[in-house]
Structures are given as C-alpha cells and as structure tokens.
Amino acid sequence: MRSIFLLATLAIAGLGSCKKSGGDVAPVVESTLLNVSYGADAKQNMDVYLPAGRNTTATKVMIMIHGGAWTAGDKTDFSQYVDTLKRRLPDYAIFNLNYRLSAIPNNIFPTQENDVKAALQFIYSKSAEYLISDKYVLLGASAGGHLAMLQAYKYTVPVKVKAVVSFFGPSDMTDMYNNPVGGNALISLLVAQAVGKTPAQDPAIYSSSSPVNYITASSAMPTILLHGGLDQLVNASQSAAVKNKLVTAGIVNQYVFYPTGDHGNWDNATYFDAFTKIEAFVRANVN
C-alpha cells in the first residue's frame, strides 16, 4: 500500500497541474528510495533521497561516491554523512552510489569509471520522475574522489557537472604507482591490482584514468579539495597537482589542507570544518 501511495504522489507531482479536491496544488513530499538499480549487477545500485517541494528547475543534485581503493567499500560508508548534507543543503536531491569493485578480476579499470557514468545517465533519465534539475555536484572520498573528478573533468554527458568535492582523491594514477607515500610498495601493488596492470604494461589506461590529465579551461569546473598532511595512502601532492592545474586553467578552486589529518580518520571538529567549507563552496559556485 505504501509503494502505491508513493507512486501516486510522484505521478501527481510530475503532472504539476493536478489538484486536491479543495483546489490546492498537491504538495511534493520528501521521498527516500533505497537500493535503486541502475544496472544489471548487484553492485550497480544507489540510495536516493529526494527533498520535499522539489522541481526540475531549482532542485540541484548531489552524487556521493564512496572510497575503498576501488576494491572494497560500500555506499553505507557514506550513510552517516547523508543527514549532514540534507541539513546543510536541504534543497538538494542526494544520490549515494555503489559501483562494481575491482576485487573481482573482471571488474578492473575502467569498470568503476563506467559505472559512475552509467549511474549519472540513469539519474538524468529519471529527471522528470524524480523532479530534479540538471545541476549536478559530485562528491567522493579517496577512490570515490578519484572517480568524481574523472567523471567531472572527462565527460560532458549526460550533463556537464557544476562542481566537484574531493576528499583526498588520487588524481594521477601513474604518479601514485611510481611514487607511493613513504615508498610503500604495497600501495603500488594495490594500484596495479585495481587497474589490472602496471604503468609499464599499459601506460594508456593509467593516463586515461587520471583526472589531472583532463583539466582544461573548458573542461573543468569549480572544485574543492580536502586532504590531510599525514595521509599514508594518497599523497597530498595528488590534490595539490589538481589545484595547480585548476589555477593555471583559471578555474575556481579551494584546497583545504589539514596538516595533522590522515586518510579520512579525522576527528569531529575537522569533519565539521570540512563540511562547513564544502557548503559555502557549493552555495557560492552552483547556481
């Protein structure tokens, strides 16, 4: 019965001209849709959070992409931050994505890149049903930050993304393999396992999977980068390289550096500061 009522509500909202018997326009209610499939694989799904009063003109879209070194992780890793974003950006529709993991051998690069692209195409195809605009912001952490930047800088379809938020995301896969933090060979091995080959074996896939290679004055968009100085997995130079190219290209950007922050295990005060800066950046640059 609940699902029937929800479908009826969405249909009324989509028509826009339908009214209650008293003559008032039916309100568009808040809606949460969990594990919505955007592909055939069990991992190709997302959680959807649609705000009340939404419409196809003003309701912006925030897409969240979890981390896990491309081999692990789940959208539930980001669940605790969904409410944070809903409070700070209540006019946004939020989509929290899963994607296929490269721990399964046939899911090596560019599977994850393709899944993010497919997810955006699915969301765009549902614009009229979900009552959302084409103003997208991508937010990712670690591997998710990499995928967010890659989609944003590399593709203009189904939409040209309006802004990017990267928590300590890798930007140059070749450099990450060749110059791991602290010379840790295990990081290089992890990168090679996710990609499927080393840079010597397939330099092209490393190049095409590196967001920093796609930053130009015409391709990039406002970007906020957040990184810890004690990150033991992704060197802060990965975010700094993006910042430098954005500056050269004349693109609005903000690089937030936390000297004592490691790879995401930040205290509450640091995360509060991070989301405060993200909120301000998004509000200033996505119109």
Side-chain angles (χ1 to χ4, degrees), residues 133-245:
S133 75
D134 60 357
K135 299 173 182 177
Y136 289 21
V137 177
L138 301 188
L139 181 154
S142 193
H146 161 263
L147 294 171
M149 290 188 290
L150 190 62
Q151 170 67 36
Y153 302 152
K154 190 174 181 178
Y155 299 103
T156 58
V157 293
V159 297
K160 182 173 173 60
V161 171
K162 298 296 184 182
V164 183
V165 181
S166 172
F167 282 96
F168 37 85
S171 65
D172 186 330
M173 299 303 295
T174 303
D175 181 71
M176 190 171 179
Y177 179 92
N178 289 333
N179 301 296
V181 180
N184 188 347
L186 291 178
I187 296 175
S188 300
L189 178 61
L190 184 64
V191 171
Q193 288 176 335
V195 177
K197 296 179 180 178
T198 67
Q201 292 169 327
D202 193 345
I205 187 63
Y206 276 78
S207 178
S208 66
S209 300
S210 295
V212 74
N213 292 337
Y214 294 94
I215 296 174
T216 67
S218 61
S219 69
M221 63 290 301
T223 301
I224 180 169
L225 307 141
L226 306 102
H227 218 119
L230 302 181
D231 196 315
Q232 298 181 43
L233 292 177
V234 180
N235 199 307
S237 62
Q238 293 278 320
S239 288
V242 174
K243 177 188 79 76
N244 292 338
K245 286 204 72 172

Side-chain angles (χ1 to χ4, degrees), residues 34-102:
L34 301 179
N35 298 313
V36 175
S37 295
Y38 65 86
D41 191 273
K43 269 292 187 180
Q44 293 174 307
N45 64 77
M46 65 180 75
D47 293 339
V48 180
Y49 304 89
L50 303 173
R54 62 192 178 276
N55 62 70
T56 57
T57 302
T59 303
K60 305 175 185 70
V61 173
M62 175 71 73
I63 297 173
M64 307 174 74
I65 311 173
H66 71 80
W70 307 279
T71 63
D74 187 85
K75 57 183 168 63
T76 56
D77 298 340
F78 256 158
S79 294
Q80 62 181 312
Y81 301 111
V82 170
D83 283 343
T84 297
L85 289 172
K86 287 171 71 174
R87 288 194 303 271
R88 290 179 174 273
L89 300 167
D91 51 338
Y92 272 71
I94 300 171
F95 297 80
N96 190 10
L97 307 186
N98 264 340
Y99 50 87
R100 288 172 290 175
L101 303 173
S102 65

